[in-house]
Amino acid sequence: MMNGVAAGAREATGPRLRPGFPGRLLALGHALALFGLLLAGAVLLALLAAPVILAALGLGQFLKYQLNHGLAFDGQDARDLFALLLGLACCRLVLPAALLATRRLAMLTRRLSARWCGVAIAAAYAPKPVPATAGSRHLGYQQRMSWLLNDVSTWRDTAWLVVNLVVGWVLLLAPVMMVGFGVITFLVPGSAAVPGMHGVSRWATPPAFPGNTPTVLLAIGVALVALGVATGPVALRGYGGLARLVLTPSREAELALRVEQLAQTRRETLDTGAAELRRIERDLHDGAQARLVAMGLTLDAAGRLIDTDPAAARALLYEARDASARALAELRDLVRGIHPPVLADRGLADAIRALALDSPLRVQVTGPLDGRLPAPVESAGYFAVSELLANVAKHSGAGAAEVDLRHSSGSLRITVSDDGAGGANPSRGTGLQGVARRVAAFDGVLVVSSPAGGPTVINLEVPCKLS
């Protein structure tokens, strides 16, 4: 989640398909659902091709008629010109929406491939550009088309529509058709000879071949149904492999996107660091520095009065002592805001427990870490949790929260949840965006789940090693 930038997903091992007979039947249902996506892709492919073909045919016919009949304008010219203008209008109105819909369909295919087929597919899309018009939230037609057509992934998604329409349906429908063919052609006619089931013979005629006895029909039907059910998961995995073959971005595209992401996180980290330095400078100037200047003036006045009015000088010295104590407290608070001593001494888990004790909410911290993390990661995790707990206390209306810490598979995972009203949206405020930028500097991600009515669950994941 990086200010709307489409981040490239890392390829990971997908979940295994559900074993057993129920899982094989479920695979047939998944195949039918994916076939529905295939039909939607066919519609999108028609929407992509029709405006271009219409405009090209209209232009071709118009030019051909002009070359053959001179510059005279008649009814045929009007029809060709109308087809050309209609094609151009459709290109302007339909093409951008169809290309974006194709991208969403491809992303949905990637998610379902990982969930249903057990095949994870990476994605690498070019980041959405900033609108050229100041203050506008939407891209213009030329800027949108340039962004979509110059992205190699757009052409890869379009190629998937073609491959899916030509080859994908075979993998999806083969097991389903075996089950349906076995039931309708063999099982139902074979059951017509069973006592009490003669009524089925009115709409299911047994196939004509030598030896088509009910027993043979039932045996063939059971074999076809069993074969279709057994090959359902295999066909699904083959379909996922076909989708990965077409939709997986090239190594160059992944590297280009990675460079763009690193450049963006570097810019954001530099901006955040500069803002933090300005805050520290302002706090020192307005707080501790002002108190130290005032303390110096007080001590100077006490030095002038110590011979003539010892009592007044003593009062000024007491005042200077109190000012030095307040300045020291402010300096300690400032140092704690830069890098809390408990974080350096005890580690991330104990530092977050200290945060929980200072929070006005009931905060439970679970999942101790069996070791220390790199100091920059501990600092990022600490301040991220601090910001999230502050958001919970200010905006959620929650009475309790929970922070869960884990380190597994080479990553620090932090989950912050609450029992509040939900509705947290990173795009409506800077708090969650700041947390996302903080963890993005370490190649981390932030995922927010906050439906209306709650609960809110925020997951942080930062790749790092545990010492």
Side-chain angles (χ1 to χ4, degrees), residues 261-271 441:
Q261 290 175 346
L262 290 176
Q264 181 179 359
T265 56
R266 178 179 178 273
R267 290 192 299 266
E268 293 174 347
T269 302
L270 291 175
D271 293 342

Side-chain angles (χ1 to χ4, degrees), residues 108-179:
L108 179 59
T109 301
R110 289 182 175 94
R111 289 197 296 271
L112 295 182
S113 175
R115 187 181 305 170
W116 291 350
C117 307
V119 179
I121 305 174
Y125 291 103
K128 186 177 181 179
V130 179
T133 305
S136 176
R137 298 178 57 187
H138 303 286
L139 299 176
Y141 174 77
Q142 292 183 350
Q143 194 177 14
R144 183 184 297 273
M145 291 301 294
S146 176
W147 165 50
L148 292 173
L149 295 180
N150 290 330
D151 189 357
V152 180
S153 297
T154 299
W155 300 99
R156 187 176 293 109
D157 295 344
T158 307
W160 167 243
L161 297 183
V162 179
V163 173
N164 198 18
L165 188 62
V166 175
V167 182
W169 68 272
V170 178
L171 293 170
L172 294 176
L173 291 186
V176 178
M177 292 178 65
M178 279 191 286
V179 173

Side-chain angles (χ1 to χ4, degrees), residues 34 133 194 212 216-217 329 365:
L34 290 172
T133 305
V194 178
N212 61 340
V216 173
L217 294 178
V365 182

Side-chain angles (χ1 to χ4, degrees), residues 248-333:
T248 298
S250 64
R251 185 64 176 169
E252 291 76 12
E254 288 186 328
L255 289 176
L257 181 64
R258 182 66 177 152
V259 168
E260 176 63 27
Q261 290 175 346
L262 290 176
Q264 181 179 359
T265 56
R266 178 179 178 273
R267 290 192 299 266
E268 293 174 347
T269 302
L270 291 175
D271 293 342
T272 303
E276 189 70 11
L277 288 176
R278 289 193 296 269
R279 181 190 69 81
I280 295 171
E281 180 184 9
R282 184 175 61 251
D283 291 346
L284 284 173
H285 181 272
D286 298 339
Q289 179 180 333
R291 292 191 183 279
L292 290 174
V293 170
M295 186 175 64
L297 295 175
T298 302
L299 289 174
D300 184 63
R304 291 194 300 268
L305 293 174
I306 194 168
D307 294 330
T308 59
D309 192 351
R314 186 181 300 109
L316 290 174
L317 290 175
Y318 289 154
E319 182 180 345
R321 183 192 61 186
D322 295 339
S324 68
R326 289 193 294 270
L328 181 61
E330 289 182 357
L331 285 174
R332 285 174 175 170
D333 291 339

Side-chain angles (χ1 to χ4, degrees), residues 358-412:
D358 294 336
S359 175
L361 304 171
R362 298 188 309 275
V363 181
Q364 180 182 5
V365 182
T366 59
L369 297 174
D370 300 327
R372 293 295 299 267
L373 301 166
V377 175
E378 285 189 335
S379 179
Y382 174 85
F383 287 109
V385 173
S386 176
E387 177 69 22
L388 293 177
L389 290 179
N391 286 345
V392 172
K394 291 178 184 177
H395 308 298
S396 71
E402 182 178 355
V403 181
D404 183 72
L405 303 171
R406 292 283 185 271
H407 186 276
S408 61
S409 302
S411 296
L412 168 67

